[in-house]
Amino acid sequence: MLYSLLNIVEIYDFYYELARLVSQKCDALAAENGIRAIVTFRAKSPDRLEGKLHQRDVTKKYQTAEDIREDIVDLSGVRIALYFPGDRAKIAVLLRNAFVIDQEKQFPDKPRATADRFDGYHAEHYRIRLRPDSLPEVQRRYGGNLVEIQVASVLMHAWSEVEHDLNYKQLSGKVSQEERSILDGINGIVLAGEVFLERLQAAFEARVSRSGSTFSNRYELAAFLYERLRVSTLPESKEEPVMGRLDILFDLLQLAELNSPDKLTTYIQHLDLKTEKQPLADQIIDHVLISRANLYDSYLEMRRTASGGVRTFFSGQDYPSPAIVGSFFHKWIILERFLRGLAHARNLTSKGVVFPTRHLVRKLGLSELFQIQFDVLSRLRSELVHGVNIPEEDALREADAELNEMLEKLSSIDDKDIHEAMQWAQSGEADRRDD
């Protein structure tokens, strides 16, 4: 009966590939956001699945394949084993943003009804689904299917694997009281180990934040940002910020020779922790590029070659040509410099990196039409820079022409501050100015 409902071998292949896709996404999320973790995946093996189906069918009385899929939620499984238990809240934010979450469950979820001294398994489980619209056409069939993601420390995952095989699968006979006592003792050691891992993480963050040090990799950069933000702003917020592509930010900071706590501090003083609109890494990248416009081309190449990156231009015929992309950014850089110079001339900003925003443009007293045009073009610029919704070439050509018209109009305005700011923007002096 069960074989007529479900081809177990075929479903194994399907859920194995589903688990692989989710694992690949989780691995990229952790690495890009500077979280040290080991990500693994599996699909329930055909023999185990068959045995479980026969066991549960006694009470469930399966009638359709959908009954089985809804009842057995761990056909696909992914494990995220964190080096540092303190990163569980950080990975939770990333998972909620990346997937459709059906259910979240925290362990231990209730007191254990045993004589054990320690409370056992500590972890978070997420039942998630891939968003079909986030997948290429050939993979759309995997969207909407349940996958269970288990998040715990590397120590806890190792203990739970042993404990689960002995206590629940009982592949080697019934577990004795002595074996249970030993497992309980090991659990106590694991919980103590997690305390030391949290202390190790704090010591690591403190070390990389010291004056005079440099970041050796994205993980040290992440540690610095979390530690600095925790001290300055995070106590006021219950939500963990989304870091974003720290791998690309790290490469950019190295190129700009800003990969140290001392030099980076200037660029993180006015970050917006409400990162649902823009991750922190993207905000820092924007601040670096506004002060180092000569790095635009190198940065765009970094995004193009970044492993596991989202869609970028130059990688397919549907993307704008390098010539029009270059033309657009050449004009945009002049506009950025102009707004920066005008803001300084009118004393509208404090010392530090000035990134042109809609609010700043409004304060500058420029026309309402200019404000609308700037808002539209600014969004397009952000999509290009951060690899989101790459525009078609015709749309980018229209934006390039509109930018050119805006710059010509600004140059013709009879205003001393505007005239000097435009001259400064076009001279290239802006790239040598020390903010």
Side-chain angles (χ1 to χ4, degrees), residues 1-41:
M1 172 63 178
L2 291 174
Y3 274 106
S4 66
L5 293 177
L6 196 67
N7 185 316
I8 293 180
V9 175
E10 285 186 6
I11 201 170
Y12 173 80
D13 291 342
F14 177 89
Y15 281 97
Y16 180 90
E17 179 62 14
L18 173 60
R20 187 191 69 80
L21 291 174
V22 173
S23 171
Q24 190 177 54
K25 178 66 174 176
C26 291
D27 196 35
L29 286 172
E32 292 165 6
N33 286 270
I35 297 173
R36 296 179 187 267
I38 300 170
V39 181
T40 57
F41 69 95

mmCIF file of all heavy atoms in Angstrom, residues 1-41:
data_model
loop_
_atom_site.group_PDB
_atom_site.id
_atom_site.type_symbol
_atom_site.label_atom_id
_atom_site.label_comp_id
_atom_site.label_asym_id
_atom_site.label_seq_id
_atom_site.Cartn_x
_atom_site.Cartn_y
_atom_site.Cartn_z
ATOM 1 N N MET A 1 0.832 -1.198 0.000
ATOM 2 C CA MET A 1 0.000 0.000 0.000
ATOM 3 C C MET A 1 0.873 1.258 0.000
ATOM 4 O O MET A 1 0.670 2.202 -0.756
ATOM 5 C CB MET A 1 -0.921 -0.014 1.222
ATOM 6 C CG MET A 1 -1.699 1.299 1.435
ATOM 7 S SD MET A 1 -2.824 1.661 0.071
ATOM 8 C CE MET A 1 -3.587 3.147 0.644
ATOM 9 N N LEU A 2 1.902 1.266 0.896
ATOM 10 C CA LEU A 2 2.745 2.459 1.011
ATOM 11 C C LEU A 2 3.530 2.715 -0.264
ATOM 12 O O LEU A 2 3.729 3.858 -0.671
ATOM 13 C CB LEU A 2 3.694 2.310 2.201
ATOM 14 C CG LEU A 2 3.009 2.349 3.576
ATOM 15 C CD1 LEU A 2 4.006 2.045 4.675
ATOM 16 C CD2 LEU A 2 2.363 3.705 3.805
ATOM 17 N N TYR A 3 4.013 1.656 -0.918
ATOM 18 C CA TYR A 3 4.750 1.841 -2.161
ATOM 19 C C TYR A 3 3.860 2.409 -3.255
ATOM 20 O O TYR A 3 4.314 3.124 -4.136
ATOM 21 C CB TYR A 3 5.373 0.522 -2.626
ATOM 22 C CG TYR A 3 6.718 0.252 -1.995
ATOM 23 C CD1 TYR A 3 6.848 -0.699 -0.995
ATOM 24 C CD2 TYR A 3 7.852 0.953 -2.404
ATOM 25 C CE1 TYR A 3 8.083 -0.946 -0.410
ATOM 26 C CE2 TYR A 3 9.076 0.714 -1.825
ATOM 27 C CZ TYR A 3 9.190 -0.241 -0.830
ATOM 28 O OH TYR A 3 10.406 -0.481 -0.255
ATOM 29 N N SER A 4 2.558 2.070 -3.203
ATOM 30 C CA SER A 4 1.645 2.621 -4.198
ATOM 31 C C SER A 4 1.402 4.112 -3.963
ATOM 32 O O SER A 4 1.045 4.840 -4.886
ATOM 33 C CB SER A 4 0.306 1.874 -4.165
ATOM 34 O OG SER A 4 -0.365 2.102 -2.938
ATOM 35 N N LEU A 5 1.561 4.543 -2.725
ATOM 36 C CA LEU A 5 1.395 5.960 -2.412
ATOM 37 C C LEU A 5 2.656 6.761 -2.717
ATOM 38 O O LEU A 5 2.605 7.917 -3.101
ATOM 39 C CB LEU A 5 1.047 6.135 -0.928
ATOM 40 C CG LEU A 5 -0.308 5.612 -0.461
ATOM 41 C CD1 LEU A 5 -0.446 5.818 1.039
ATOM 42 C CD2 LEU A 5 -1.444 6.317 -1.189
ATOM 43 N N LEU A 6 3.797 6.141 -2.520
ATOM 44 C CA LEU A 6 5.040 6.901 -2.555
ATOM 45 C C LEU A 6 6.169 6.021 -3.072
ATOM 46 O O LEU A 6 6.439 4.962 -2.513
ATOM 47 C CB LEU A 6 5.352 7.380 -1.131
ATOM 48 C CG LEU A 6 6.371 8.470 -0.946
ATOM 49 C CD1 LEU A 6 5.854 9.785 -1.529
ATOM 50 C CD2 LEU A 6 6.650 8.674 0.549
ATOM 51 N N ASN A 7 6.824 6.442 -4.148
ATOM 52 C CA ASN A 7 8.014 5.745 -4.629
ATOM 53 C C ASN A 7 9.182 6.188 -3.765
ATOM 54 O O ASN A 7 9.693 7.300 -3.907
ATOM 55 C CB ASN A 7 8.273 6.083 -6.088
ATOM 56 C CG ASN A 7 9.429 5.278 -6.670
ATOM 57 O OD1 ASN A 7 10.466 5.116 -6.035
ATOM 58 N ND2 ASN A 7 9.239 4.774 -7.878
ATOM 59 N N ILE A 8 9.607 5.344 -2.841
ATOM 60 C CA ILE A 8 10.563 5.758 -1.815
ATOM 61 C C ILE A 8 11.909 6.145 -2.414
ATOM 62 O O ILE A 8 12.544 7.100 -1.960
ATOM 63 C CB ILE A 8 10.726 4.633 -0.769
ATOM 64 C CG1 ILE A 8 9.404 4.480 -0.010
ATOM 65 C CG2 ILE A 8 11.855 4.943 0.196
ATOM 66 C CD1 ILE A 8 9.418 3.407 1.046
ATOM 67 N N VAL A 9 12.348 5.435 -3.434
ATOM 68 C CA VAL A 9 13.643 5.774 -4.047
ATOM 69 C C VAL A 9 13.573 7.129 -4.732
ATOM 70 O O VAL A 9 14.475 7.972 -4.598
ATOM 71 C CB VAL A 9 14.074 4.678 -5.038
ATOM 72 C CG1 VAL A 9 15.354 5.094 -5.761
ATOM 73 C CG2 VAL A 9 14.279 3.358 -4.303
ATOM 74 N N GLU A 10 12.498 7.365 -5.465
ATOM 75 C CA GLU A 10 12.354 8.664 -6.153
ATOM 76 C C GLU A 10 12.254 9.806 -5.160
ATOM 77 O O GLU A 10 12.840 10.871 -5.352
ATOM 78 C CB GLU A 10 11.116 8.635 -7.058
ATOM 79 C CG GLU A 10 11.300 7.832 -8.330
ATOM 80 C CD GLU A 10 10.103 7.948 -9.251
ATOM 81 O OE1 GLU A 10 9.196 8.745 -8.931
ATOM 82 O OE2 GLU A 10 10.078 7.248 -10.276
ATOM 83 N N ILE A 11 11.530 9.595 -4.087
ATOM 84 C CA ILE A 11 11.375 10.677 -3.119
ATOM 85 C C ILE A 11 12.691 10.941 -2.393
ATOM 86 O O ILE A 11 12.990 12.071 -2.011
ATOM 87 C CB ILE A 11 10.241 10.388 -2.114
ATOM 88 C CG1 ILE A 11 9.769 11.709 -1.488
ATOM 89 C CG2 ILE A 11 10.657 9.419 -1.037
ATOM 90 C CD1 ILE A 11 8.511 11.586 -0.683
ATOM 91 N N TYR A 12 13.498 9.892 -2.211
ATOM 92 C CA TYR A 12 14.820 10.097 -1.607
ATOM 93 C C TYR A 12 15.661 11.014 -2.485
ATOM 94 O O TYR A 12 16.280 11.968 -1.995
ATOM 95 C CB TYR A 12 15.543 8.769 -1.403
ATOM 96 C CG TYR A 12 16.973 8.948 -0.949
ATOM 97 C CD1 TYR A 12 17.265 9.218 0.387
ATOM 98 C CD2 TYR A 12 18.035 8.880 -1.871
ATOM 99 C CE1 TYR A 12 18.577 9.407 0.805
ATOM 100 C CE2 TYR A 12 19.339 9.074 -1.459
ATOM 101 C CZ TYR A 12 19.606 9.342 -0.122
ATOM 102 O OH TYR A 12 20.910 9.543 0.285
ATOM 103 N N ASP A 13 15.690 10.766 -3.781
ATOM 104 C CA ASP A 13 16.471 11.598 -4.698
ATOM 105 C C ASP A 13 15.990 13.045 -4.673
ATOM 106 O O ASP A 13 16.794 13.983 -4.672
ATOM 107 C CB ASP A 13 16.370 11.050 -6.125
ATOM 108 C CG ASP A 13 17.082 9.713 -6.288
ATOM 109 O OD1 ASP A 13 17.925 9.392 -5.428
ATOM 110 O OD2 ASP A 13 16.778 8.991 -7.262
ATOM 111 N N PHE A 14 14.667 13.222 -4.632
ATOM 112 C CA PHE A 14 14.100 14.573 -4.624
ATOM 113 C C PHE A 14 14.496 15.315 -3.357
ATOM 114 O O PHE A 14 14.974 16.450 -3.401
ATOM 115 C CB PHE A 14 12.571 14.493 -4.724
ATOM 116 C CG PHE A 14 11.886 15.829 -4.656
ATOM 117 C CD1 PHE A 14 11.656 16.566 -5.810
ATOM 118 C CD2 PHE A 14 11.469 16.360 -3.441
ATOM 119 C CE1 PHE A 14 11.026 17.810 -5.750
ATOM 120 C CE2 PHE A 14 10.837 17.591 -3.364
ATOM 121 C CZ PHE A 14 10.619 18.318 -4.526
ATOM 122 N N TYR A 15 14.312 14.673 -2.192
ATOM 123 C CA TYR A 15 14.574 15.360 -0.930
ATOM 124 C C TYR A 15 16.065 15.489 -0.634
ATOM 125 O O TYR A 15 16.475 16.378 0.125
ATOM 126 C CB TYR A 15 13.831 14.677 0.217
ATOM 127 C CG TYR A 15 12.371 15.069 0.230
ATOM 128 C CD1 TYR A 15 11.395 14.266 -0.339
ATOM 129 C CD2 TYR A 15 11.972 16.285 0.788
ATOM 130 C CE1 TYR A 15 10.062 14.652 -0.351
ATOM 131 C CE2 TYR A 15 10.645 16.682 0.777
ATOM 132 C CZ TYR A 15 9.693 15.856 0.209
ATOM 133 O OH TYR A 15 8.370 16.257 0.183
ATOM 134 N N TYR A 16 16.865 14.640 -1.232
ATOM 135 C CA TYR A 16 18.322 14.805 -1.117
ATOM 136 C C TYR A 16 18.752 16.084 -1.828
ATOM 137 O O TYR A 16 19.532 16.888 -1.295
ATOM 138 C CB TYR A 16 19.035 13.597 -1.721
ATOM 139 C CG TYR A 16 20.546 13.691 -1.646
ATOM 140 C CD1 TYR A 16 21.244 13.188 -0.539
ATOM 141 C CD2 TYR A 16 21.290 14.277 -2.666
ATOM 142 C CE1 TYR A 16 22.630 13.270 -0.462
ATOM 143 C CE2 TYR A 16 22.671 14.372 -2.593
ATOM 144 C CZ TYR A 16 23.332 13.864 -1.488
ATOM 145 O OH TYR A 16 24.713 13.957 -1.417
ATOM 146 N N GLU A 17 18.238 16.296 -3.036
ATOM 147 C CA GLU A 17 18.588 17.507 -3.783
ATOM 148 C C GLU A 17 18.021 18.750 -3.096
ATOM 149 O O GLU A 17 18.671 19.801 -3.054
ATOM 150 C CB GLU A 17 18.051 17.409 -5.215
ATOM 151 C CG GLU A 17 18.330 18.630 -6.089
ATOM 152 C CD GLU A 17 19.810 18.906 -6.293
ATOM 153 O OE1 GLU A 17 20.648 18.014 -5.995
ATOM 154 O OE2 GLU A 17 20.147 20.021 -6.754
ATOM 155 N N LEU A 18 16.825 18.640 -2.542
ATOM 156 C CA LEU A 18 16.236 19.752 -1.802
ATOM 157 C C LEU A 18 17.122 20.119 -0.608
ATOM 158 O O LEU A 18 17.410 21.302 -0.369
ATOM 159 C CB LEU A 18 14.836 19.380 -1.323
ATOM 160 C CG LEU A 18 14.134 20.368 -0.375
ATOM 161 C CD1 LEU A 18 13.954 21.732 -1.039
ATOM 162 C CD2 LEU A 18 12.790 19.809 0.074
ATOM 163 N N ALA A 19 17.557 19.122 0.143
ATOM 164 C CA ALA A 19 18.427 19.373 1.294
ATOM 165 C C ALA A 19 19.750 19.985 0.855
ATOM 166 O O ALA A 19 20.290 20.878 1.525
ATOM 167 C CB ALA A 19 18.672 18.068 2.058
ATOM 168 N N ARG A 20 20.271 19.534 -0.277
ATOM 169 C CA ARG A 20 21.539 20.086 -0.779
ATOM 170 C C ARG A 20 21.393 21.567 -1.107
ATOM 171 O O ARG A 20 22.279 22.374 -0.785
ATOM 172 C CB ARG A 20 21.989 19.311 -2.018
ATOM 173 C CG ARG A 20 23.390 19.705 -2.508
ATOM 174 C CD ARG A 20 23.678 19.114 -3.873
ATOM 175 N NE ARG A 20 22.855 19.737 -4.909
ATOM 176 C CZ ARG A 20 23.144 20.930 -5.456
ATOM 177 N NH1 ARG A 20 24.202 21.617 -5.070
ATOM 178 N NH2 ARG A 20 22.358 21.414 -6.397
ATOM 179 N N LEU A 21 20.285 21.939 -1.745
ATOM 180 C CA LEU A 21 20.067 23.347 -2.101
ATOM 181 C C LEU A 21 19.969 24.227 -0.855
ATOM 182 O O LEU A 21 20.559 25.310 -0.800
ATOM 183 C CB LEU A 21 18.794 23.479 -2.931
ATOM 184 C CG LEU A 21 18.832 22.894 -4.345
ATOM 185 C CD1 LEU A 21 17.444 22.970 -4.980
ATOM 186 C CD2 LEU A 21 19.847 23.632 -5.203
ATOM 187 N N VAL A 22 19.222 23.759 0.150
ATOM 188 C CA VAL A 22 19.079 24.534 1.386
ATOM 189 C C VAL A 22 20.420 24.614 2.114
ATOM 190 O O VAL A 22 20.802 25.662 2.641
ATOM 191 C CB VAL A 22 17.995 23.924 2.291
ATOM 192 C CG1 VAL A 22 17.953 24.628 3.649
ATOM 193 C CG2 VAL A 22 16.637 24.013 1.607
ATOM 194 N N SER A 23 21.150 23.500 2.139
ATOM 195 C CA SER A 23 22.465 23.488 2.777
ATOM 196 C C SER A 23 23.412 24.473 2.109
ATOM 197 O O SER A 23 24.160 25.201 2.777
ATOM 198 C CB SER A 23 23.050 22.072 2.719
ATOM 199 O OG SER A 23 24.396 22.064 3.130
ATOM 200 N N GLN A 24 23.382 24.486 0.794
ATOM 201 C CA GLN A 24 24.232 25.408 0.040
ATOM 202 C C GLN A 24 23.912 26.859 0.393
ATOM 203 O O GLN A 24 24.816 27.685 0.584
ATOM 204 C CB GLN A 24 24.020 25.155 -1.456
ATOM 205 C CG GLN A 24 24.985 25.861 -2.376
ATOM 206 C CD GLN A 24 24.725 25.482 -3.825
ATOM 207 O OE1 GLN A 24 23.610 25.610 -4.339
ATOM 208 N NE2 GLN A 24 25.745 24.996 -4.492
ATOM 209 N N LYS A 25 22.621 27.161 0.520
ATOM 210 C CA LYS A 25 22.196 28.508 0.889
ATOM 211 C C LYS A 25 22.647 28.857 2.306
ATOM 212 O O LYS A 25 23.149 29.952 2.563
ATOM 213 C CB LYS A 25 20.674 28.616 0.769
ATOM 214 C CG LYS A 25 20.093 29.963 1.168
ATOM 215 C CD LYS A 25 20.526 31.070 0.229
ATOM 216 C CE LYS A 25 19.833 32.367 0.540
ATOM 217 N NZ LYS A 25 20.307 33.492 -0.317
ATOM 218 N N CYS A 26 22.473 27.916 3.239
ATOM 219 C CA CYS A 26 22.862 28.156 4.631
ATOM 220 C C CYS A 26 24.374 28.347 4.761
ATOM 221 O O CYS A 26 24.836 29.210 5.521
ATOM 222 C CB CYS A 26 22.415 26.991 5.510
ATOM 223 S SG CYS A 26 20.620 26.862 5.717
ATOM 224 N N ASP A 27 25.130 27.553 4.028
ATOM 225 C CA ASP A 27 26.587 27.664 4.059
ATOM 226 C C ASP A 27 27.030 29.038 3.567
ATOM 227 O O ASP A 27 27.901 29.685 4.154
ATOM 228 C CB ASP A 27 27.204 26.558 3.198
ATOM 229 C CG ASP A 27 28.684 26.360 3.478
ATOM 230 O OD1 ASP A 27 29.088 26.512 4.646
ATOM 231 O OD2 ASP A 27 29.431 26.074 2.536
ATOM 232 N N ALA A 28 26.405 29.509 2.479
ATOM 233 C CA ALA A 28 26.742 30.827 1.941
ATOM 234 C C ALA A 28 26.343 31.932 2.918
ATOM 235 O O ALA A 28 27.105 32.888 3.129
ATOM 236 C CB ALA A 28 26.042 31.035 0.596
ATOM 237 N N LEU A 29 25.176 31.816 3.537
ATOM 238 C CA LEU A 29 24.730 32.823 4.499
ATOM 239 C C LEU A 29 25.715 32.952 5.650
ATOM 240 O O LEU A 29 26.077 34.064 6.062
ATOM 241 C CB LEU A 29 23.350 32.460 5.048
ATOM 242 C CG LEU A 29 22.151 32.665 4.136
ATOM 243 C CD1 LEU A 29 20.894 32.077 4.775
ATOM 244 C CD2 LEU A 29 21.940 34.147 3.832
ATOM 245 N N ALA A 30 26.146 31.825 6.191
ATOM 246 C CA ALA A 30 27.073 31.851 7.320
ATOM 247 C C ALA A 30 28.414 32.459 6.905
ATOM 248 O O ALA A 30 28.940 33.352 7.580
ATOM 249 C CB ALA A 30 27.267 30.443 7.872
ATOM 250 N N ALA A 31 28.952 31.991 5.788
ATOM 251 C CA ALA A 31 30.268 32.463 5.347
ATOM 252 C C ALA A 31 30.248 33.944 5.000
ATOM 253 O O ALA A 31 31.138 34.710 5.394
ATOM 254 C CB ALA A 31 30.735 31.645 4.147
ATOM 255 N N GLU A 32 29.239 34.387 4.255
ATOM 256 C CA GLU A 32 29.164 35.778 3.828
ATOM 257 C C GLU A 32 28.988 36.733 5.001
ATOM 258 O O GLU A 32 29.442 37.874 4.961
ATOM 259 C CB GLU A 32 28.009 35.951 2.841
ATOM 260 C CG GLU A 32 28.221 35.252 1.515
ATOM 261 C CD GLU A 32 26.940 35.119 0.701
ATOM 262 O OE1 GLU A 32 25.907 35.675 1.119
ATOM 263 O OE2 GLU A 32 26.975 34.446 -0.345
ATOM 264 N N ASN A 33 28.313 36.263 6.057
ATOM 265 C CA ASN A 33 28.057 37.113 7.213
ATOM 266 C C ASN A 33 29.073 36.934 8.335
ATOM 267 O O ASN A 33 28.860 37.420 9.446
ATOM 268 C CB ASN A 33 26.647 36.851 7.740
ATOM 269 C CG ASN A 33 25.572 37.457 6.859
ATOM 270 O OD1 ASN A 33 25.161 38.591 7.050
ATOM 271 N ND2 ASN A 33 25.123 36.698 5.860
ATOM 272 N N GLY A 34 30.150 36.224 8.045
ATOM 273 C CA GLY A 34 31.224 36.100 9.022
ATOM 274 C C GLY A 34 30.902 35.218 10.208
ATOM 275 O O GLY A 34 31.390 35.456 11.315
ATOM 276 N N ILE A 35 30.079 34.181 10.000
ATOM 277 C CA ILE A 35 29.731 33.245 11.069
ATOM 278 C C ILE A 35 30.421 31.917 10.802
ATOM 279 O O ILE A 35 30.214 31.298 9.751
ATOM 280 C CB ILE A 35 28.208 33.045 11.147
ATOM 281 C CG1 ILE A 35 27.521 34.371 11.490
ATOM 282 C CG2 ILE A 35 27.845 31.972 12.164
ATOM 283 C CD1 ILE A 35 26.011 34.315 11.433
ATOM 284 N N ARG A 36 31.229 31.481 11.734
ATOM 285 C CA ARG A 36 31.956 30.212 11.570
ATOM 286 C C ARG A 36 31.007 29.049 11.864
ATOM 287 O O ARG A 36 30.426 28.968 12.954
ATOM 288 C CB ARG A 36 33.159 30.147 12.513
ATOM 289 C CG ARG A 36 34.228 31.196 12.228
ATOM 290 C CD ARG A 36 35.360 31.070 13.230
ATOM 291 N NE ARG A 36 36.329 32.134 13.111
ATOM 292 C CZ ARG A 36 37.437 32.083 12.373
ATOM 293 N NH1 ARG A 36 37.699 30.991 11.669
ATOM 294 N NH2 ARG A 36 38.280 33.096 12.345
ATOM 295 N N ALA A 37 30.876 28.152 10.901
ATOM 296 C CA ALA A 37 29.945 27.036 11.067
ATOM 297 C C ALA A 37 30.298 25.913 10.102
ATOM 298 O O ALA A 37 30.949 26.131 9.075
ATOM 299 C CB ALA A 37 28.508 27.499 10.826
ATOM 300 N N ILE A 38 29.860 24.714 10.442
ATOM 301 C CA ILE A 38 29.949 23.556 9.557
ATOM 302 C C ILE A 38 28.519 23.187 9.177
ATOM 303 O O ILE A 38 27.694 22.906 10.057
ATOM 304 C CB ILE A 38 30.637 22.368 10.240
ATOM 305 C CG1 ILE A 38 32.061 22.745 10.666
ATOM 306 C CG2 ILE A 38 30.652 21.147 9.309
ATOM 307 C CD1 ILE A 38 32.715 21.707 11.555
ATOM 308 N N VAL A 39 28.212 23.208 7.891
ATOM 309 C CA VAL A 39 26.850 22.929 7.426
ATOM 310 C C VAL A 39 26.831 21.586 6.704
ATOM 311 O O VAL A 39 27.613 21.355 5.787
ATOM 312 C CB VAL A 39 26.343 24.041 6.485
ATOM 313 C CG1 VAL A 39 24.912 23.749 6.035
ATOM 314 C CG2 VAL A 39 26.408 25.400 7.180
ATOM 315 N N THR A 40 25.943 20.710 7.138
ATOM 316 C CA THR A 40 25.789 19.397 6.506
ATOM 317 C C THR A 40 24.323 19.175 6.167
ATOM 318 O O THR A 40 23.444 19.889 6.657
ATOM 319 C CB THR A 40 26.276 18.273 7.442
ATOM 320 O OG1 THR A 40 25.545 18.342 8.681
ATOM 321 C CG2 THR A 40 27.767 18.413 7.731
ATOM 322 N N PHE A 41 24.057 18.165 5.345
ATOM 323 C CA PHE A 41 22.671 17.883 4.954
ATOM 324 C C PHE A 41 22.485 16.397 4.732
ATOM 325 O O PHE A 41 23.458 15.648 4.559
ATOM 326 C CB PHE A 41 22.303 18.664 3.690
ATOM 327 C CG PHE A 41 23.024 18.195 2.449
ATOM 328 C CD1 PHE A 41 22.437 17.276 1.596
ATOM 329 C CD2 PHE A 41 24.295 18.666 2.138
ATOM 330 C CE1 PHE A 41 23.094 16.833 0.451
ATOM 331 C CE2 PHE A 41 24.955 18.243 0.996
ATOM 332 C CZ PHE A 41 24.365 17.326 0.157
#
